[in-house]
Amino acid sequence: MKVLVPVKRVIDYNVKVRVKADNTGVDLANVKMSMNPFDEIAVEEAIRLKEAGTATEIVAVSIGVKDATKVLHTALAMGADRAILVEATDDQENDIEPLAVAKILAKVVEEEQPGLVLLGKQAIDNDCNATGQMLAAVLGWAQATFASNVEITPEGATVIREVDGGLQTIKIKTPAIVTVDLRLNEPRYASLPNIMKAKKKPFETKTPSDYGVDVAPRLEVVKVVEPSSRQAGVKVGSVAELVEKLKNEAGVI
Ligand code: AMP
């Protein structure tokens, strides 16, 4: 079974994000960019499926600017076999929306015929949590989101999902879309020899027009603002005073 893993280039999770002074977006100038952390988990899961003899080939795909090549090289260095870059923009501030990404991925799926598409549950830059679900809808495939365990069975897959207040186990038929959650696995680091070898692995570059997809934005960002800063706390002298404040000032009891 072939596994397709879409990986997104996002602002590194260690970077302190700064909103631009004109409130049009986040400052990306000279900021470290990396693979979306949930996508590293998806790549790791695909590699584990290959190591277990379940997956035969892992294809990583990224849609965005040319520099997304680096996250594809990371996926190849971790253990993916091939990579496809869909160069959809030359402006890194132009975040390709989930619907356009899903439409391109659907075309890649048509060409590649994977048995499983493993995506991150969400991209940490836009927090959309939509691409996997949209891809399942476009393809008419089964989907299992927020996976914390994936077991491939002769009929399809059994997936444990992280839901509010617990875990849900579902069975799905393959081919299917699975979006992965934080506790699925701990991704490996790429070793230096594998980083060197990655550069020699097959790498294709495409454009959205190769797939007949229009990536023009459908959404308009009105404003981006910093979250409001936390107000200073107060020290209370007694439990009675605390209860009084919770009741009359905070209104929470
Ligand atoms: P989102 O719906 O934007 O929160 O993204 C969910 C997942 O979809 C990500 O974790 C990736 O696996 C995939 N994805 C989203 N955007 C892209 C992109 N531009 N290129 C490749 N994969 C993407």
Side-chain angles (χ1 to χ4, degrees), residues 26-182:
V26 162
D27 193 357
L28 295 180
N30 305 315
V31 164
K32 182 173 182 221
M33 305 296 283
S34 301
M35 189 193 301
N36 184 44
F38 291 108
D39 304 353
E40 287 183 4
I41 296 170
V43 174
E44 175 66 35
E45 195 63 17
I47 297 167
R48 291 185 189 192
L49 288 174
K50 195 172 169 203
E51 286 169 347
T54 313
T56 48
E57 191 185 24
I58 303 165
V59 182
V61 53
S62 193
I63 298 146
V65 288
K66 196 181 177 123
D67 194 59
T69 300
K70 289 183 192 149
V71 299
L72 287 169
H73 277 154
T74 305
L76 293 170
M78 285 173 74
D81 298 293
R82 284 196 288 127
I84 304 169
L85 169 69
V86 183
E87 233 186 291
T89 176
D90 50 15
D91 175 6
Q92 64 168 350
E93 307 222 351
N94 177 11
D95 186 32
I96 309 300
E97 291 170 7
L99 186 56
V101 172
K103 285 180 182 168
I104 292 174
L105 290 176
K107 295 286 181 185
V108 176
V109 165
E110 233 171 68
E111 278 183 13
E112 296 286 342
Q113 302 281 313
L116 186 67
V117 185
L118 281 173
L119 302 94
K121 75 162 176 179
Q122 75 193 66
I124 62 162
D125 52 357
N126 59 22
D127 272 352
C128 277
N129 177 6
T131 308
Q133 294 87 332
M134 286 180 175
L135 179 60
V138 173
L139 292 169
W141 281 15
Q143 62 174 303
T145 51
F146 315 131
S148 64
N149 193 68
V150 179
E151 190 200 334
I152 304 297
T153 60
E155 303 79 37
T158 303
V159 178
I160 301 180
R161 306 183 55 235
E162 298 211 0
V163 293
D164 266 358
L167 298 172
Q168 182 189 50
T169 304
I170 59 168
K171 284 187 175 174
I172 49 170
K173 292 217 166 80
T174 46
I177 308 295
V178 172
T179 76
V180 308
D181 215 323
L182 201 62

